[in-house]
Amino acid sequence: METITHLMEGFAVAGTPTNLAIAAIGAFLGTVIGLLPGLGPINGVAILLPIAYAMKLPPESALILLAAVYAGCEVGGRISAILINVPGDAGAVMTTMDGYPMARKGLAGPALSLSAFASFSGSMVAVVGIVLFAPLLAEWALAFGPAEYFALMVLALSCLGGLVGDSLVKAMVCVLLGLMLSTVGIDSNSGVYRYTFDLLHLADGIPFIVVVIGLFAVSELMLMLENAHSGAAPVSLSGRLMFNAQEFALAKWTMLRCSVTGFFVGVLPGAGASIASAMCYASERRMAGKDHCFGEGDPRGVAAPEAANNASAYGSLIPMLTLGVPGSGTTAVMIGALTLYNITPGPTLFQDQPVVVWGLIASLAIASVMLLAMNIPLIRVFVKFLAIPNWLLVPGVAAISLVGVYAVHGTTFDLILGTLLGGVGYLLRVMNFPMAPFILGFVLGDMMEQNLRRALSISNGELDILFSSPVSIGLWIGALAMLVGPRVAAALRSRHAGEPQPV
Amino acid sequence: MSERVFGVLLLLLSAAGLVIGWDLRAPVSYEPVGPRAFPLLVFVLIGACALALVFFRRGPTRWAPPAVLGRVGGLFVVVLLYALLFDKLGFIVSTTLMCLPLARLFGASWKQALGAGACMGVALFILFDRVLDVALPAGQWLKPILG
């Protein structure tokens, strides 16, 4: 009952004309950012966060903007996947498999509208899931002490390390580099200057926005120059735009199944939209039996990844809202947004900031409806954005990114630091070092250190306290399993490589 | 090979971090864990990962061809110069100057690049500084004109 009251309050917050307008703008911009190959949700959120902050939006409006952009990106990624066979973001990789063949068959319109509807169903299932589970999880986590917290953050970081990228060592390096950058500045407990090299600008620590823009905007521009794809002409959007009853009937259970699966995969820290959509695509293909044309333009092959993709993107907000521990790069940036506004993320968020939390949840539902409304009739407008040439896009992104960094402190120092971090980010990304653990380490670094020190203060320096409660022991075991598990599974799989593999 | 070189660099970073971190001691301490424990732990782990990078053989890194790498380097230098000149020249002029080489790198003609630069400088300035209320540097020399 209480939940429903809160939800109504949330709709009251999200339903004010300003916040509705912000959600609509965010959903539109998000779709555009999502459909542009190269720019994905994390870049979009990273570029818009400093601007929202500089515009002095109140925290709930800023989060609504970021959430709408996030939702929009997940929807927008399918447009380029279907029309030019280039996924607009990581979650849309699987959408190319059947989306592009459908477009080649002259079914671009139905592919786009069916995938928009699948996205919508994924979003709605996930919003219901958030409303049902998030308050419960937050309540349970309220009993966490500093030792449990420290273990929880280790678990979150190892989830990402275990699941992202091609090697554990590389993910670990990135986590550690993020933690390293987070220690720069005055130590709040003792007042000691750490790694500031007598630079006044570093005394307060490295601003979060500088790291995010450097790693995700500047380095992205350098990669775009490297991967400049030869602007394949989009398949023209002719014929009917709406899917018909037959296509819907074929895909309806697929959508529902993938929405639910996607949501639960998204809740796990580290397992993001790309894992969810790949998993659902594979299982739907297997379930279809002989009677399918997956890979040649099966409507289910478009519906499955898109439903999973959106559901998991929303699901990944749960660990962020309830535990204060982001499960993905994008939610890590959103946690950073909370800290910019001096809001401490964690289980107390539901009690201390009900306006922010429930406003965000309600606005996700509103943004999803808006996205559905925009993406079917206005699809031709979005398709036009595919024609933006990189020579216009790249300088624009560079300028807007630096505006955001400059808006924080108004110093050239931050701009230069951000650019240098972008250079480092480029080198790391070329060597296949994943960036999400880096930003997660940076965001969690301060909280980890504080909780570790608090726990050890309680126990007067005895390390036992870290492993003293059943919850923390469970979390440590979970962390170990996430680090070792995927490797063991891979080793077992390669031993059975001789046997036929289910596809 | 690239990863080994990077591993060596990380090892140096970890050593430097440990040397600097060793002296981080609080003058007065009220708690069992001081300011240096966490950074030292992080740098020790960085060192361990660096050793793993140096000694385990991995797949080769696929660098872009030298010509492309040169252009990527060029882009980096342009953005760095943009960062340096951002508030000295003012947003409009520095953005126009940044756009020109960047647009050329991505295949625009001189005419397109110049047009894009000038339009973007002015349009973004009006959008952010005037409409969205995000203060941008007008540049020392433009101040008397804009008021």
Side-chain angles (χ1 to χ4, degrees):
Chain A
M1 248 2 263
E2 206 187 343
T3 304
I4 293 178
T5 329
H6 283 309
L7 191 61
M8 286 299 126
E9 280 168 27
F11 273 104
V13 173
T16 61
T18 328
N19 285 346
L20 278 179
I22 286 175
I25 294 170
F28 185 85
L29 285 178
T31 311
V32 173
I33 293 170
L35 73 86
L36 295 169
L39 296 183
I42 193 155
N43 314 103
V45 173
I47 294 167
L48 286 171
L49 162 64
I51 291 168
Y53 183 64
M55 283 167 62
K56 300 174 192 72
L57 290 180
E60 64 276 8
S61 305
L63 265 191
I64 287 173
L65 176 72
L66 298 185
V69 169
Y70 187 23
C73 284
E74 300 298 339
V75 177
R78 78 192 204 289
I79 299 177
S80 47
I82 290 170
L83 293 178
I84 55 176
N85 204 16
V86 176
D89 66 337
V93 172
M94 300 313 285
T95 314
T96 57
M97 309 278 271
D98 283 273
Y100 188 63
M102 268 183 91
R104 292 289 296 273
K105 281 195 240 168
L107 293 172
L112 286 167
S113 55
L114 188 68
S115 55
F117 191 80
S119 297
F120 174 73
S121 99
S123 311
M124 281 306 169
V125 167
V127 169
V128 172
I130 293 176
V131 170
L132 289 180
F133 296 120
L136 294 179
L137 193 58
E139 203 149 304
W140 175 67
L142 272 178
F144 279 25
E148 283 81 13
Y149 250 97
F150 181 72
L152 177 68
M153 283 182 255
V154 174
L155 172 66
L157 291 175
S158 42
C159 278
L160 216 57
L163 291 170
V164 175
D166 62 345
S167 116
L168 180 61
V169 175
K170 287 181 178 176
M172 287 287 293
V173 166
C174 287
V175 165
L176 291 167
L177 289 176
L179 292 177
M180 177 188 85
L181 291 188
S182 78
T183 61
V184 173
I186 298 183
D187 171 40
S188 52
N189 294 25
S190 63
V192 173
Y193 284 71
R194 299 193 293 189
Y195 305 101
T196 54
F197 304 102
D198 293 328
L199 290 166
L200 197 60
H201 290 296
L202 285 179
D204 276 339
I206 301 173
F208 168 74
I209 286 173
V210 170
V211 180
V212 169
I213 291 282
L215 291 183
F216 291 102
V218 177
S219 73
E220 190 68 57
L221 299 179
M222 297 166 81
L223 282 178
M224 279 169 86
L225 187 56
E226 192 176 287
N227 303 331
H229 64 94
S230 52
V235 178
S236 70
L237 193 54
S238 54
R240 70 190 157 96
L241 283 180
M242 267 315 273
F243 52 88
N244 58 27
Q246 194 194 348
E247 282 153 352
F248 180 77
L250 188 62
K252 64 182 180 211
W253 294 118
T254 298
M255 282 187 224
L256 196 62
R257 272 194 301 269
C258 294
S259 302
V260 175
T261 321
F263 170 73
F264 285 106
V265 172
V267 174
L268 297 176
S274 42
I275 294 179
S277 58
M279 241 174 79
C280 284
Y281 183 87
S283 75
E284 284 304 318
R285 188 192 167 120
R286 206 168 32 232
M287 281 175 72
K290 284 195 176 62
D291 184 28
H292 72 78
C293 54
F294 272 86
E296 292 148 40
D298 193 303
R300 285 170 292 183
V302 179
E306 282 304 312
N309 173 1
N310 273 64
S312 82
Y314 285 24
S316 71
L317 290 168
I318 284 195
M320 171 203 137
L321 287 174
T322 57
L323 306 174
V325 174
S328 66
T330 314
T331 48
V333 179
M334 292 171 83
I335 283 276
L338 288 176
T339 50
L340 271 183
Y341 284 98
N342 285 325
I343 297 175
T344 317
T348 52
L349 204 62
F350 272 80
Q351 294 181 342
D352 298 346
Q353 303 285 345
V355 170
V356 172
V357 175
W358 290 100
L360 174 70
I361 295 173
S363 72
L364 283 176
I366 294 176
S368 310
V369 176
M370 284 175 172
L371 281 167
L372 183 66
M374 280 179 194
N375 266 282
I376 292 181
L378 293 184
I379 188 69
R380 288 181 200 282
V381 177
F382 287 119
V383 171
K384 291 218 166 63
F385 281 96
L386 278 177
I388 295 182
N390 274 347
W391 59 261
L392 207 55
L393 183 66
V394 169
V397 171
I400 294 171
S401 304
L402 265 65
V403 166
V405 173
Y406 188 80
V408 185
H409 287 153
T411 61
T412 311
F413 182 85
D414 286 351
L415 296 176
I416 295 170
L417 188 59
T419 312
L420 293 177
L421 278 173
V424 174
Y426 167 78
L427 295 176
L428 288 173
R429 288 171 77 171
V430 170
M431 290 189 285
N432 276 325
F433 283 83
M435 285 295 105
F438 196 136
I439 200 71
L440 209 58
F442 183 72
V443 169
L444 292 182
D446 186 49
M447 278 192 279
M448 266 182 97
E449 182 178 6
Q450 290 304 326
N451 280 297
L452 178 65
R453 286 164 83 169
R454 224 170 282 155
L456 293 178
S457 287
I458 293 170
S459 72
N460 220 351
E462 294 296 321
L463 284 170
D464 307 358
I465 191 170
L466 297 177
F467 314 98
S468 59
S469 78
V471 172
S472 55
I473 293 173
L475 291 167
W476 282 107
I477 293 175
L480 199 66
M482 287 315 291
L483 284 178
V484 182
R487 268 81 214 168
V488 175
L492 285 178
R493 225 176 293 138
S494 63
R495 192 187 294 172
H496 293 290
E499 295 166 20
Q501 293 268 322
V503 180
Chain B
M1 192 58 213
S2 314
E3 286 179 10
R4 288 205 173 150
V5 174
F6 180 65
V8 173
L9 289 178
L10 271 185
L11 210 53
L12 294 175
L13 177 78
S14 135
L18 287 173
V19 169
I20 299 171
W22 195 255
D23 292 328
L24 295 174
R25 256 173 281 213
V28 196
S29 173
Y30 303 103
E31 45 174 18
V33 185
R36 68 175 182 179
F38 190 74
L40 289 183
L41 177 69
V42 169
F43 280 112
V44 166
L45 290 173
I46 289 181
C49 287
L51 288 176
L53 278 180
V54 173
F55 289 110
F56 288 114
R57 185 176 287 278
R58 303 181 177 286
T61 305
R62 254 175 292 154
W63 295 98
V68 178
L69 271 188
R71 283 153 38 113
V72 172
L75 184 145
F76 178 70
V77 172
V78 170
V79 178
L80 196 61
L81 285 174
Y82 181 45
L84 276 168
L85 299 174
F86 197 75
D87 64 350
K88 292 186 185 62
L89 292 181
F91 180 78
I92 299 179
V93 177
S94 61
T95 302
T96 309
L97 289 179
M98 174 274 297
C99 269
L100 202 63
L102 236 53
R104 289 285 298 160
L105 276 176
F106 280 89
S109 69
W110 281 106
K111 220 176 175 180
Q112 286 170 324
L114 198 62
C119 292
M120 205 173 286
V122 176
L124 289 179
F125 187 82
I126 293 173
L127 175 69
F128 285 115
D129 197 83
R130 296 294 137 99
V131 180
L132 298 181
D133 206 21
V134 177
L136 291 180
Q140 298 301 331
W141 59 278
L142 250 180
K143 263 195 187 133
I145 306 172
L146 284 174

